[in-house]
Amino acid sequence: MIKVLYLLNHAGKAGTERYVQTLIEKLNNKKIKAYFAYNEYGLLVERLEALGVETFRIEMKNPFDLKAVRELSKLCKKLDIDLIHTQFLRENYISLLSRILNRKVKVMYTNHFVMKNGPVLKITNRLLTSLESNIIAVCNRGKDVMISNGIRGKKIHVIFNGVDVEYWGTPVESTIRKELGIDDDTFVFLCGSRFAHDKGHKFLINAVHRLKKMTGRKFKCILSNDGPLLEECKKQVADLGLGDDIIFTGFREDIKNLIYGSDLYVNASEHEALSFAIIEVLACGIPVIATNVAGNGDIINEETNCGILVEYNDEEGLAQAINKLMEDGKLRNEFGKNALKAVKEKFNLDKVANETYNLYKESLKN
């Protein structure tokens, strides 16, 4: 049994937190003994504690917080941790520095961003990642960018994010149309991204404004989540006169209910690594339109043939893509059938868990 401490600065409810939770659900008490440590409290703490996972708080002010380094080393010795699995740069650097005090523990890092570093971080990467056992990139573009950021390519392994195909692929009778007063003849497209700057809601809302001018068909766009830009986006919708066309639901736990009540999912993000939301939707057999950024091209391409890629901020292009799938039911059905097949073959959680566990074992040998 391998003792793994999952370390995350903010324990919220986004894709990275989902990644940690699903790995723990798949591997804990079977192949590993999982523990969780965090800095900022959030929903993930509650979810993991409900699974029986011990959780701990370590204050982590910055990537070079020496107090956090000592606290982490102390906790790992107390729990006899074999490996720390980190998710972002701050906790990764702290974990690597903690190895100076505790050489027994190994560190493995999953990079969830596709972001170029400046000269200082590139130098630090070269120095500190020599202490790293293995690194996971969740998309091919992520690996390329990490190499350009000074990280040795031999340590980087591309393991796509994955979802529970059986759960997402088992249909539910959606109640969302009845709840929101949407009839069966209305075309519904959904976006479940958090209202943050990089998620492209303003771009999507402007595209909906263009769509309204190019079609006479009834449609509803459902925006389901919360976040700092929520009120700003509501004002944009009101200013554009789209109050009857766009519905804000707030944060919902029943995302599967929303997906199965929709005809299409739209991801309008400016930045992505490999979106869990897109994969979950595809596992439900629903086609996706997504921006052509980072790992989205690993999901939607000629091989998978399960959706359409558009360029970020191309409002006309996004509106045309939505209109195309709104008008072409045959193409939607083709994309939907291919969607589930792609997830089963490439983005399956069992595959992710097994490949990650094999890296855990390899890391302990190094």
Side-chain angles (χ1 to χ4, degrees):
M1 184 75 73
I2 301 172
K3 290 188 174 183
V4 180
L5 176 69
Y6 293 86
L7 185 63
L8 186 59
N9 181 58
H10 176 66
K13 56 192 179 190
T16 301
E17 290 88 336
R18 209 173 315 173
Y19 173 89
V20 172
Q21 182 180 343
T22 52
L23 272 181
I24 289 175
E25 286 174 332
K26 276 291 177 182
L27 296 175
N28 192 34
N29 298 323
K30 297 176 183 176
K31 297 182 177 181
I32 69 165
K33 171 64 176 173
Y35 300 87
F36 179 67
Y38 63 95
N39 177 22
E40 299 173 4
Y41 185 89
L43 186 60
L44 181 61
V45 179
E46 298 174 19
R47 288 174 172 172
L48 292 182
E49 287 179 346
L51 293 173
V53 177
E54 288 186 69
T55 64
F56 307 86
R57 181 171 182 260
I58 299 176
E59 186 178 25
M60 296 181 282
K61 296 179 179 178
N62 58 68
F64 304 99
D65 187 338
L66 296 182
K67 182 181 178 183
V69 170
R70 291 192 295 270
E71 288 297 314
L72 178 59
S73 177
K74 185 176 171 183
L75 178 63
C76 287
K77 287 179 180 178
K78 176 185 174 183
L79 299 174
D80 193 28
I81 296 296
D82 297 302
L83 183 143
I84 306 170
H85 190 165
T86 67
Q87 312 301 320
F88 290 110
L89 185 142
R90 179 188 307 202
E91 54 265 35
N92 188 50
Y93 277 13
I94 288 171
S95 298
L96 293 173
L97 289 171
S98 77
R99 292 203 66 217
I100 298 171
L101 302 176
N102 182 9
R103 297 294 294 183
K104 172 189 177 288
V105 71
K106 306 295 183 181
V107 178
M108 205 170 96
Y109 172 43
T110 295
N111 182 7
H112 298 273
F113 278 127
V114 179
M115 187 176 295
K116 292 185 178 180
N117 295 156
V120 175
L121 277 181
K122 286 182 179 180
I123 293 170
T124 311
N125 285 338
R126 290 190 188 100
L127 293 173
L128 285 184
T129 54
S130 63
L131 297 168
E132 203 101 52
S133 293
N134 281 297
I135 299 169
I136 295 173
V138 298
C139 64
N140 286 302
R141 178 63 179 154
K143 178 177 181 177
D144 294 339
V145 172
M146 276 196 282
I147 291 172
S148 73
N149 286 339
I151 297 173
R152 289 176 58 194
K154 288 183 178 179
K155 291 197 173 187
I156 305 171
H157 309 263
V158 177
I159 301 178
F160 294 142
N161 289 334
V163 301
D164 186 332
V165 179
E166 183 177 350
Y167 171 77
W168 291 101
T170 302
V172 296
E173 188 173 340
S174 177
T175 61
I176 194 66
R177 287 178 180 254
K178 183 178 180 180
E179 176 188 334
L180 299 178
I182 303 172
D183 62 48
D184 292 338
D185 294 330
T186 298
F187 187 86
V188 175
F189 54 99
L190 168 71
C191 176
S193 300
R194 187 169 180 269
F195 286 84
H197 285 284
D198 62 334
K199 295 303 182 182
H201 287 92
K202 292 181 180 180
F203 158 45
L204 173 55
I205 292 166
N206 285 335
V208 172
H209 188 239
R210 289 176 181 258
L211 175 66
K212 191 174 181 181
K213 294 177 180 179
M214 68 174 63
T215 182
R217 182 167 178 183
K218 293 188 299 181
F219 70 82
K220 295 287 184 184
C221 171
I222 298 177
L223 302 181
S224 178
N225 215 316
D226 54 20
L229 292 187
L230 176 57
E231 294 306 316
E232 200 172 317
C233 288
K234 285 183 177 179
K235 183 178 184 305
Q236 181 187 0
V237 167
D239 290 344
L240 291 174
L242 297 173
D244 292 332
D245 307 292
I246 297 179
I247 300 172
F248 295 88
T249 69
F251 176 72
R252 301 278 297 231
E253 289 277 5
D254 61 337
I255 189 65
K256 187 176 175 182
N257 181 32
L258 271 67
I259 294 169
Y260 274 99
S262 303
D263 301 293
L264 173 69
Y265 188 88
V266 179
N267 173 288
S269 295
E270 182 180 6
H271 303 291
E272 285 288 358
L274 202 80
S275 168
F276 273 101
I278 291 176
I279 302 170
E280 288 166 353
V281 169
L282 293 176
C284 296
I286 305 297
V288 171
I289 296 172
T291 46
N292 188 17
V293 296
N296 285 354
D298 286 325
I299 306 173
I300 300 170
N301 48 55
E302 289 183 0
E303 180 188 351
T304 60
N305 194 31
C306 57
I308 299 173
L309 292 179
V310 298
E311 297 304 315
Y312 176 75
N313 248 352
D314 180 1
E315 296 165 7
E316 184 71 16
L318 177 54
Q320 288 176 354
I322 296 171
N323 191 47
K324 180 178 181 178
L325 288 183
M326 189 159 58
E327 297 298 329
D328 194 339
K330 184 178 178 182
L331 182 60
R332 280 202 316 274
N333 290 335
E334 181 184 350
F335 282 169
K337 289 177 182 177
N338 292 336
L340 181 56
K341 180 175 180 287
V343 176
K344 285 180 177 178
E345 292 177 356
K346 300 182 68 174
F347 309 104
N348 190 318
L349 180 57
D350 288 325
K351 183 173 182 289
V352 176
N354 288 334
E355 290 180 5
T356 304
Y357 175 68
N358 288 337
L359 276 188
Y360 288 169
K361 291 195 297 182
E362 182 184 310
S363 296
L364 296 184
K365 294 176 182 177
N366 293 341

mmCIF file of all heavy atoms in Angstrom, residues 53-81:
data_model
loop_
_atom_site.group_PDB
_atom_site.id
_atom_site.type_symbol
_atom_site.label_atom_id
_atom_site.label_comp_id
_atom_site.label_asym_id
_atom_site.label_seq_id
_atom_site.Cartn_x
_atom_site.Cartn_y
_atom_site.Cartn_z
ATOM 1 N N VAL A 53 -11.459 10.374 4.099
ATOM 2 C CA VAL A 53 -10.062 10.776 3.920
ATOM 3 C C VAL A 53 -9.682 11.791 4.993
ATOM 4 O O VAL A 53 -10.416 12.765 5.222
ATOM 5 C CB VAL A 53 -9.847 11.391 2.516
ATOM 6 C CG1 VAL A 53 -8.418 11.886 2.353
ATOM 7 C CG2 VAL A 53 -10.187 10.376 1.438
ATOM 8 N N GLU A 54 -8.563 11.557 5.666
ATOM 9 C CA GLU A 54 -8.067 12.522 6.650
ATOM 10 C C GLU A 54 -7.555 13.772 5.939
ATOM 11 O O GLU A 54 -6.828 13.667 4.949
ATOM 12 C CB GLU A 54 -6.924 11.916 7.482
ATOM 13 C CG GLU A 54 -7.361 10.861 8.471
ATOM 14 C CD GLU A 54 -6.200 10.429 9.360
ATOM 15 O OE1 GLU A 54 -5.747 11.241 10.194
ATOM 16 O OE2 GLU A 54 -5.727 9.287 9.183
ATOM 17 N N THR A 55 -7.932 14.947 6.458
ATOM 18 C CA THR A 55 -7.523 16.203 5.839
ATOM 19 C C THR A 55 -6.762 17.065 6.845
ATOM 20 O O THR A 55 -7.025 16.998 8.052
ATOM 21 C CB THR A 55 -8.730 16.992 5.299
ATOM 22 O OG1 THR A 55 -9.575 17.380 6.386
ATOM 23 C CG2 THR A 55 -9.526 16.157 4.300
ATOM 24 N N PHE A 56 -5.860 17.878 6.328
ATOM 25 C CA PHE A 56 -5.006 18.720 7.167
ATOM 26 C C PHE A 56 -4.838 20.083 6.502
ATOM 27 O O PHE A 56 -4.795 20.173 5.273
ATOM 28 C CB PHE A 56 -3.621 18.081 7.356
ATOM 29 C CG PHE A 56 -3.666 16.670 7.860
ATOM 30 C CD1 PHE A 56 -3.801 15.607 6.964
ATOM 31 C CD2 PHE A 56 -3.604 16.389 9.210
ATOM 32 C CE1 PHE A 56 -3.853 14.295 7.412
ATOM 33 C CE2 PHE A 56 -3.653 15.082 9.674
ATOM 34 C CZ PHE A 56 -3.781 14.031 8.779
ATOM 35 N N ARG A 57 -4.717 21.129 7.309
ATOM 36 C CA ARG A 57 -4.467 22.452 6.747
ATOM 37 C C ARG A 57 -3.017 22.857 6.976
ATOM 38 O O ARG A 57 -2.492 22.736 8.089
ATOM 39 C CB ARG A 57 -5.374 23.512 7.357
ATOM 40 C CG ARG A 57 -5.093 24.881 6.720
ATOM 41 C CD ARG A 57 -6.055 25.974 7.083
ATOM 42 N NE ARG A 57 -5.663 27.170 6.354
ATOM 43 C CZ ARG A 57 -4.956 28.178 6.864
ATOM 44 N NH1 ARG A 57 -4.563 28.136 8.131
ATOM 45 N NH2 ARG A 57 -4.624 29.217 6.119
ATOM 46 N N ILE A 58 -2.372 23.305 5.891
ATOM 47 C CA ILE A 58 -1.027 23.856 5.957
ATOM 48 C C ILE A 58 -1.066 25.225 5.287
ATOM 49 O O ILE A 58 -1.393 25.330 4.103
ATOM 50 C CB ILE A 58 0.005 22.959 5.239
ATOM 51 C CG1 ILE A 58 0.068 21.584 5.901
ATOM 52 C CG2 ILE A 58 1.381 23.612 5.230
ATOM 53 C CD1 ILE A 58 0.991 20.607 5.183
ATOM 54 N N GLU A 59 -0.765 26.268 6.022
ATOM 55 C CA GLU A 59 -0.734 27.605 5.429
ATOM 56 C C GLU A 59 0.429 27.692 4.446
ATOM 57 O O GLU A 59 1.558 27.371 4.778
ATOM 58 C CB GLU A 59 -0.579 28.665 6.514
ATOM 59 C CG GLU A 59 -0.684 30.077 5.974
ATOM 60 C CD GLU A 59 -0.586 31.133 7.058
ATOM 61 O OE1 GLU A 59 0.021 30.856 8.114
ATOM 62 O OE2 GLU A 59 -1.120 32.245 6.863
ATOM 63 N N MET A 60 0.135 28.097 3.209
ATOM 64 C CA MET A 60 1.155 28.204 2.164
ATOM 65 C C MET A 60 1.044 29.591 1.527
ATOM 66 O O MET A 60 0.221 29.832 0.657
ATOM 67 C CB MET A 60 0.963 27.102 1.111
ATOM 68 C CG MET A 60 1.145 25.695 1.661
ATOM 69 S SD MET A 60 0.935 24.378 0.412
ATOM 70 C CE MET A 60 -0.864 24.323 0.307
ATOM 71 N N LYS A 61 1.885 30.533 1.990
ATOM 72 C CA LYS A 61 1.777 31.923 1.554
ATOM 73 C C LYS A 61 2.346 32.149 0.155
ATOM 74 O O LYS A 61 1.886 33.020 -0.570
ATOM 75 C CB LYS A 61 2.467 32.840 2.552
ATOM 76 C CG LYS A 61 1.810 32.840 3.936
ATOM 77 C CD LYS A 61 2.557 33.754 4.889
ATOM 78 C CE LYS A 61 1.877 33.772 6.256
ATOM 79 N NZ LYS A 61 2.625 34.630 7.219
ATOM 80 N N ASN A 62 3.365 31.396 -0.201
ATOM 81 C CA ASN A 62 4.011 31.558 -1.508
ATOM 82 C C ASN A 62 4.815 30.301 -1.811
ATOM 83 O O ASN A 62 4.980 29.437 -0.929
ATOM 84 C CB ASN A 62 4.907 32.806 -1.525
ATOM 85 C CG ASN A 62 5.983 32.750 -0.452
ATOM 86 O OD1 ASN A 62 6.897 31.933 -0.516
ATOM 87 N ND2 ASN A 62 5.881 33.618 0.543
ATOM 88 N N PRO A 63 5.353 30.149 -3.024
ATOM 89 C CA PRO A 63 6.074 28.917 -3.371
ATOM 90 C C PRO A 63 7.344 28.663 -2.563
ATOM 91 O O PRO A 63 7.857 27.540 -2.570
ATOM 92 C CB PRO A 63 6.430 29.125 -4.857
ATOM 93 C CG PRO A 63 5.441 30.121 -5.343
ATOM 94 C CD PRO A 63 5.177 31.031 -4.192
ATOM 95 N N PHE A 64 7.838 29.683 -1.868
ATOM 96 C CA PHE A 64 9.083 29.542 -1.105
ATOM 97 C C PHE A 64 8.848 29.770 0.388
ATOM 98 O O PHE A 64 9.721 30.242 1.101
ATOM 99 C CB PHE A 64 10.137 30.515 -1.646
ATOM 100 C CG PHE A 64 10.401 30.335 -3.114
ATOM 101 C CD1 PHE A 64 9.800 31.165 -4.049
ATOM 102 C CD2 PHE A 64 11.222 29.312 -3.569
ATOM 103 C CE1 PHE A 64 10.027 30.991 -5.411
ATOM 104 C CE2 PHE A 64 11.456 29.128 -4.924
ATOM 105 C CZ PHE A 64 10.846 29.977 -5.845
ATOM 106 N N ASP A 65 7.648 29.436 0.856
ATOM 107 C CA ASP A 65 7.265 29.595 2.254
ATOM 108 C C ASP A 65 7.961 28.527 3.096
ATOM 109 O O ASP A 65 7.550 27.366 3.119
ATOM 110 C CB ASP A 65 5.740 29.468 2.368
ATOM 111 C CG ASP A 65 5.225 29.784 3.768
ATOM 112 O OD1 ASP A 65 6.001 29.687 4.732
ATOM 113 O OD2 ASP A 65 4.025 30.120 3.881
ATOM 114 N N LEU A 66 9.028 28.930 3.772
ATOM 115 C CA LEU A 66 9.850 27.964 4.517
ATOM 116 C C LEU A 66 9.106 27.381 5.714
ATOM 117 O O LEU A 66 9.355 26.228 6.104
ATOM 118 C CB LEU A 66 11.152 28.623 4.965
ATOM 119 C CG LEU A 66 12.082 29.058 3.824
ATOM 120 C CD1 LEU A 66 13.377 29.657 4.380
ATOM 121 C CD2 LEU A 66 12.393 27.891 2.896
ATOM 122 N N LYS A 67 8.204 28.167 6.308
ATOM 123 C CA LYS A 67 7.394 27.620 7.402
ATOM 124 C C LYS A 67 6.522 26.482 6.881
ATOM 125 O O LYS A 67 6.383 25.436 7.525
ATOM 126 C CB LYS A 67 6.535 28.715 8.016
ATOM 127 C CG LYS A 67 5.702 28.218 9.200
ATOM 128 C CD LYS A 67 4.834 29.327 9.782
ATOM 129 C CE LYS A 67 3.966 28.787 10.925
ATOM 130 N NZ LYS A 67 3.062 29.845 11.466
ATOM 131 N N ALA A 68 5.938 26.679 5.699
ATOM 132 C CA ALA A 68 5.114 25.631 5.091
ATOM 133 C C ALA A 68 5.968 24.414 4.756
ATOM 134 O O ALA A 68 5.507 23.270 4.891
ATOM 135 C CB ALA A 68 4.441 26.169 3.828
ATOM 136 N N VAL A 69 7.190 24.635 4.305
ATOM 137 C CA VAL A 69 8.117 23.534 4.010
ATOM 138 C C VAL A 69 8.320 22.675 5.251
ATOM 139 O O VAL A 69 8.249 21.433 5.202
ATOM 140 C CB VAL A 69 9.468 24.084 3.505
ATOM 141 C CG1 VAL A 69 10.518 22.967 3.442
ATOM 142 C CG2 VAL A 69 9.298 24.729 2.130
ATOM 143 N N ARG A 70 8.572 23.347 6.389
ATOM 144 C CA ARG A 70 8.798 22.599 7.646
ATOM 145 C C ARG A 70 7.537 21.865 8.091
ATOM 146 O O ARG A 70 7.607 20.711 8.525
ATOM 147 C CB ARG A 70 9.271 23.563 8.742
ATOM 148 C CG ARG A 70 10.674 24.127 8.513
ATOM 149 C CD ARG A 70 11.199 24.830 9.750
ATOM 150 N NE ARG A 70 10.407 26.014 10.079
ATOM 151 C CZ ARG A 70 10.652 27.231 9.616
ATOM 152 N NH1 ARG A 70 11.678 27.422 8.782
ATOM 153 N NH2 ARG A 70 9.903 28.250 9.963
ATOM 154 N N GLU A 71 6.381 22.542 7.986
ATOM 155 C CA GLU A 71 5.118 21.917 8.398
ATOM 156 C C GLU A 71 4.795 20.694 7.546
ATOM 157 O O GLU A 71 4.337 19.665 8.040
ATOM 158 C CB GLU A 71 3.981 22.937 8.313
ATOM 159 C CG GLU A 71 4.007 24.010 9.384
ATOM 160 C CD GLU A 71 3.844 23.446 10.779
ATOM 161 O OE1 GLU A 71 2.947 22.607 10.981
ATOM 162 O OE2 GLU A 71 4.631 23.819 11.674
ATOM 163 N N LEU A 72 5.047 20.821 6.241
ATOM 164 C CA LEU A 72 4.778 19.707 5.333
ATOM 165 C C LEU A 72 5.694 18.529 5.636
ATOM 166 O O LEU A 72 5.246 17.371 5.677
ATOM 167 C CB LEU A 72 4.955 20.156 3.886
ATOM 168 C CG LEU A 72 4.746 19.082 2.817
ATOM 169 C CD1 LEU A 72 3.344 18.494 2.889
ATOM 170 C CD2 LEU A 72 5.006 19.651 1.423
ATOM 171 N N SER A 73 6.957 18.813 5.841
ATOM 172 C CA SER A 73 7.913 17.748 6.160
ATOM 173 C C SER A 73 7.524 17.040 7.454
ATOM 174 O O SER A 73 7.562 15.801 7.550
ATOM 175 C CB SER A 73 9.321 18.336 6.276
ATOM 176 O OG SER A 73 10.236 17.333 6.649
ATOM 177 N N LYS A 74 7.108 17.823 8.426
ATOM 178 C CA LYS A 74 6.702 17.279 9.720
ATOM 179 C C LYS A 74 5.476 16.371 9.568
ATOM 180 O O LYS A 74 5.406 15.281 10.138
ATOM 181 C CB LYS A 74 6.383 18.454 10.657
ATOM 182 C CG LYS A 74 6.065 18.079 12.083
ATOM 183 C CD LYS A 74 5.883 19.366 12.886
ATOM 184 C CE LYS A 74 5.343 19.082 14.272
ATOM 185 N NZ LYS A 74 5.092 20.345 15.015
ATOM 186 N N LEU A 75 4.496 16.825 8.767
ATOM 187 C CA LEU A 75 3.280 16.040 8.554
ATOM 188 C C LEU A 75 3.596 14.737 7.827
ATOM 189 O O LEU A 75 3.068 13.672 8.170
ATOM 190 C CB LEU A 75 2.267 16.860 7.749
ATOM 191 C CG LEU A 75 0.953 16.161 7.395
ATOM 192 C CD1 LEU A 75 0.172 15.809 8.657
ATOM 193 C CD2 LEU A 75 0.098 17.033 6.480
ATOM 194 N N CYS A 76 4.465 14.810 6.820
ATOM 195 C CA CYS A 76 4.812 13.608 6.056
ATOM 196 C C CYS A 76 5.523 12.574 6.924
ATOM 197 O O CYS A 76 5.293 11.364 6.780
ATOM 198 C CB CYS A 76 5.681 13.987 4.860
ATOM 199 S SG CYS A 76 4.755 14.815 3.548
ATOM 200 N N LYS A 77 6.369 13.042 7.832
ATOM 201 C CA LYS A 77 7.055 12.113 8.741
ATOM 202 C C LYS A 77 6.054 11.479 9.707
ATOM 203 O O LYS A 77 6.116 10.279 9.991
ATOM 204 C CB LYS A 77 8.149 12.850 9.500
ATOM 205 C CG LYS A 77 9.364 13.203 8.643
ATOM 206 C CD LYS A 77 10.410 13.966 9.437
ATOM 207 C CE LYS A 77 11.606 14.317 8.559
ATOM 208 N NZ LYS A 77 12.626 15.115 9.294
ATOM 209 N N LYS A 78 5.134 12.297 10.203
ATOM 210 C CA LYS A 78 4.130 11.800 11.144
ATOM 211 C C LYS A 78 3.252 10.727 10.500
ATOM 212 O O LYS A 78 2.929 9.706 11.129
ATOM 213 C CB LYS A 78 3.269 12.970 11.625
ATOM 214 C CG LYS A 78 2.113 12.567 12.535
ATOM 215 C CD LYS A 78 1.233 13.769 12.869
ATOM 216 C CE LYS A 78 -0.001 13.349 13.655
ATOM 217 N NZ LYS A 78 -0.896 14.514 13.916
ATOM 218 N N LEU A 79 2.835 10.948 9.236
ATOM 219 C CA LEU A 79 1.940 10.017 8.552
ATOM 220 C C LEU A 79 2.694 8.927 7.791
ATOM 221 O O LEU A 79 2.072 8.029 7.228
ATOM 222 C CB LEU A 79 1.043 10.784 7.570
ATOM 223 C CG LEU A 79 0.114 11.841 8.170
ATOM 224 C CD1 LEU A 79 -0.607 12.608 7.064
ATOM 225 C CD2 LEU A 79 -0.895 11.207 9.119
ATOM 226 N N ASP A 80 4.015 9.027 7.787
ATOM 227 C CA ASP A 80 4.870 8.090 7.047
ATOM 228 C C ASP A 80 4.494 8.073 5.553
ATOM 229 O O ASP A 80 4.328 7.016 4.936
ATOM 230 C CB ASP A 80 4.755 6.685 7.637
ATOM 231 C CG ASP A 80 5.861 5.755 7.123
ATOM 232 O OD1 ASP A 80 6.947 6.273 6.776
ATOM 233 O OD2 ASP A 80 5.634 4.535 7.064
ATOM 234 N N ILE A 81 4.369 9.273 4.986
ATOM 235 C CA ILE A 81 3.974 9.435 3.590
ATOM 236 C C ILE A 81 5.086 8.942 2.653
ATOM 237 O O ILE A 81 6.263 9.236 2.860
ATOM 238 C CB ILE A 81 3.645 10.917 3.282
ATOM 239 C CG1 ILE A 81 2.440 11.366 4.091
ATOM 240 C CG2 ILE A 81 3.429 11.143 1.789
ATOM 241 C CD1 ILE A 81 1.150 10.657 3.767
#
